[in-house]
Amino acid sequence: MAFSEASVPVRSDLAAALRQVWASLAAPGTWWSGVERVAIAGAARGQATDVIPASAGAAARTVYADITATSRDWVDNLIQDGLGIPAFIEIIGIVSRLAAVDEFSRALGQSVEPLPDPLPGDPSFEPAPPARPGRSWLPTAGPASITQSLSLVPAESAAQEDLHGPLYLTYEQMGDLRFRRELTRPQMELVAARVSAVNECFY
C-alpha cells in the first residue's frame, strides 16, 4: 500500500496508519480469526464466502455499502440470528476501517487494495468489559459517546483510535480550532458534518 498511483502526495503518518489497518485486518482478533476477518472484509466488498456465518456476511455488506439501511430492529434481528454482540462490534470495527481505506483509495483515483493474506492463530476471546445500554443500539463501556462505540471490544476501539488521529484529528488537536493540515479546521468540520448527515448519523 504505497499509494504510488496517487495524484496527490500522501502524508507519511497517514500512509503508515492505513497500512496498519491492513496488518490488523489479517491478524486474529478478539472474536474472529485472521481467516474470518479477511472473509468479513471480502463480504463487505460483496464477495461470496462460506467462511463466516451468513448473518456476519450480510452485516458486513450492509455496514459497508448501505449504512442508512441499519436500524435498531436490524441489529436486534442479527443478534436473534445468533450473532453475538461483541462479535458484531468487531465486524463493525473491521468494516469501518476497511471502508475508510477503500474510500481514501477511490478518492485518490486508485483501485482498492487487494485484501491481505490472513495470518494464522486463534481469536483471543478476551472477555468484554462491563457495559451498559446507551443512546446507540449496542451497549458501551465508559461514558456515552461516539468515541466509545466499539468499547465492548477494546482491541477494536484501540484500532479505531489509532486511525482517528492521522485520518482526522487527535483528541488534543480537536481542542485547537485553529489547527490545519491540508484543510483548515472549519473546512474539516464542514466535510465531517456533511458526511455524517448523508449517512444519517444521529451524533
Side-chain angles (χ1 to χ4, degrees):
M1 193 178 293
F3 301 106
S4 57
E5 303 172 16
S7 57
V8 295
V10 178
R11 294 194 330 267
S12 59
D13 66 315
L14 179 53
L18 297 176
R19 285 193 293 269
Q20 179 56 36
V21 171
W22 246 230
S24 66
L25 173 61
T30 305
W31 298 98
W32 302 97
S33 68
V35 171
E36 291 167 331
R37 285 166 65 88
V38 173
I40 288 166
R45 286 180 172 178
Q47 299 170 10
T49 178
D50 58 3
V51 173
I52 54 176
S55 58
R61 181 60 181 166
T62 300
V63 171
Y64 182 90
D66 193 15
I67 191 65
T68 58
T70 62
S71 66
R72 184 179 294 276
D73 287 342
W74 177 79
V75 172
D76 290 344
N77 287 336
L78 287 173
I79 304 309
Q80 290 171 9
D81 284 343
L83 187 60
I85 291 176
F88 175 50
I89 289 176
E90 185 166 333
I91 289 174
I92 295 173
I94 292 166
V95 175
S96 61
R97 293 192 302 279
L98 170 74
V101 176
D102 283 359
E103 291 307 312
F104 185 80
S105 296
R106 292 187 182 108
L108 294 177
Q110 297 185 196
S111 300
V112 295
E113 188 77 8
L115 295 174
D117 294 328
L119 299 175
D122 297 323
S124 67
F125 297 114
E126 178 184 350
R132 57 185 173 83
R135 188 180 178 191
S136 64
W137 301 327
L138 296 166
T140 57
S145 167
I146 192 171
T147 63
Q148 302 297 311
S149 58
L150 304 180
S151 57
L152 205 63
V153 185
E156 293 303 309
S157 187
Q160 174 186 270
E161 296 300 321
D162 288 343
L163 187 58
H164 185 276
L167 199 58
Y168 174 48
L169 296 165
T170 65
Y171 292 126
E172 181 179 3
Q173 291 164 346
M174 288 176 69
D176 182 1
L177 299 182
R178 295 171 297 178
F179 182 85
R180 67 174 298 155
R181 279 185 176 141
E182 294 80 1
L183 301 178
T184 65
R185 181 66 187 278
Q187 289 172 327
M188 292 181 195
E189 297 306 328
L190 178 61
V191 172
R194 178 58 181 164
V195 171
S196 293
V198 168
N199 287 333
E200 300 179 10
C201 175
F202 55 58
Y203 282 100

